[in-house]
PDB file of all heavy atoms in Angstrom:
ATOM      1  N   PHE A  90     136.401  73.832 105.689  1.00  0.00           N
ATOM      2  CA  PHE A  90     135.973  75.086 106.320  1.00  0.00           C
ATOM      3  C   PHE A  90     135.809  76.124 105.229  1.00  0.00           C
ATOM      4  O   PHE A  90     136.301  75.953 104.103  1.00  0.00           O
ATOM      5  CB  PHE A  90     137.015  75.524 107.332  1.00  0.00           C
ATOM      6  CG  PHE A  90     138.408  75.495 106.889  1.00  0.00           C
ATOM      7  CD1 PHE A  90     138.993  76.607 106.248  1.00  0.00           C
ATOM      8  CD2 PHE A  90     139.203  74.372 107.010  1.00  0.00           C
ATOM      9  CE1 PHE A  90     140.319  76.560 105.789  1.00  0.00           C
ATOM     10  CE2 PHE A  90     140.490  74.318 106.537  1.00  0.00           C
ATOM     11  CZ  PHE A  90     141.083  75.409 105.943  1.00  0.00           C
ATOM     12  N   CYS A  91     135.103  77.248 105.535  1.00  0.00           N
ATOM     13  CA  CYS A  91     134.791  78.166 104.464  1.00  0.00           C
ATOM     14  C   CYS A  91     135.988  78.973 103.937  1.00  0.00           C
ATOM     15  O   CYS A  91     136.027  79.350 102.799  1.00  0.00           O
ATOM     16  CB  CYS A  91     133.646  79.105 104.897  1.00  0.00           C
ATOM     17  SG  CYS A  91     134.139  80.463 105.926  1.00  0.00           S
ATOM     18  N   GLY A  92     136.903  79.313 104.878  1.00  0.00           N
ATOM     19  CA  GLY A  92     138.110  80.062 104.463  1.00  0.00           C
ATOM     20  C   GLY A  92     137.970  81.548 104.446  1.00  0.00           C
ATOM     21  O   GLY A  92     138.938  82.267 104.205  1.00  0.00           O
ATOM     22  N   HIS A  93     136.767  82.089 104.666  1.00  0.00           N
ATOM     23  CA  HIS A  93     136.583  83.533 104.599  1.00  0.00           C
ATOM     24  C   HIS A  93     135.840  84.117 105.762  1.00  0.00           C
ATOM     25  O   HIS A  93     135.700  85.327 105.839  1.00  0.00           O
ATOM     26  CB  HIS A  93     135.906  83.928 103.304  1.00  0.00           C
ATOM     27  CG  HIS A  93     134.604  83.214 103.030  1.00  0.00           C
ATOM     28  ND1 HIS A  93     133.479  83.536 103.696  1.00  0.00           N
ATOM     29  CD2 HIS A  93     134.283  82.144 102.254  1.00  0.00           C
ATOM     30  CE1 HIS A  93     132.492  82.721 103.300  1.00  0.00           C
ATOM     31  NE2 HIS A  93     132.974  81.857 102.443  1.00  0.00           N
ATOM     32  N   CYS A  94     135.350  83.332 106.704  1.00  0.00           N
ATOM     33  CA  CYS A  94     134.655  83.905 107.877  1.00  0.00           C
ATOM     34  C   CYS A  94     135.662  84.380 108.890  1.00  0.00           C
ATOM     35  O   CYS A  94     136.879  84.192 108.740  1.00  0.00           O
ATOM     36  CB  CYS A  94     133.693  82.907 108.518  1.00  0.00           C
ATOM     37  SG  CYS A  94     134.567  81.583 109.444  1.00  0.00           S
ATOM     38  N   CYS A  97     137.799  81.628 110.447  1.00  0.00           N
ATOM     39  CA  CYS A  97     138.788  81.070 109.514  1.00  0.00           C
ATOM     40  C   CYS A  97     139.957  82.017 109.321  1.00  0.00           C
ATOM     41  O   CYS A  97     141.122  81.624 109.441  1.00  0.00           O
ATOM     42  CB  CYS A  97     138.149  80.804 108.149  1.00  0.00           C
ATOM     43  SG  CYS A  97     137.203  79.277 108.150  1.00  0.00           S
ATOM     44  N   CYS A 105     134.723  77.717 112.623  1.00  0.00           N
ATOM     45  CA  CYS A 105     133.985  78.113 111.439  1.00  0.00           C
ATOM     46  C   CYS A 105     132.596  77.420 111.459  1.00  0.00           C
ATOM     47  O   CYS A 105     132.538  76.250 111.769  1.00  0.00           O
ATOM     48  CB  CYS A 105     134.741  77.655 110.204  1.00  0.00           C
ATOM     49  SG  CYS A 105     133.876  77.910 108.628  1.00  0.00           S
ATOM     50  N   PRO A 106     131.530  78.188 111.109  1.00  0.00           N
ATOM     51  CA  PRO A 106     130.199  77.576 111.098  1.00  0.00           C
ATOM     52  C   PRO A 106     130.145  76.377 110.107  1.00  0.00           C
ATOM     53  O   PRO A 106     129.288  75.504 110.272  1.00  0.00           O
ATOM     54  CB  PRO A 106     129.278  78.681 110.653  1.00  0.00           C
ATOM     55  CG  PRO A 106     130.021  79.977 110.853  1.00  0.00           C
ATOM     56  CD  PRO A 106     131.517  79.640 110.796  1.00  0.00           C
TER      57      PRO A 106
HETATM   58 ZN1   ZN B 401     134.957  79.858 107.973  1.00  0.00          ZN
END
Side-chain angles (χ1 to χ4, degrees):
F90 48 89
C91 80
H93 54 76
C94 73
C97 281
C105 172

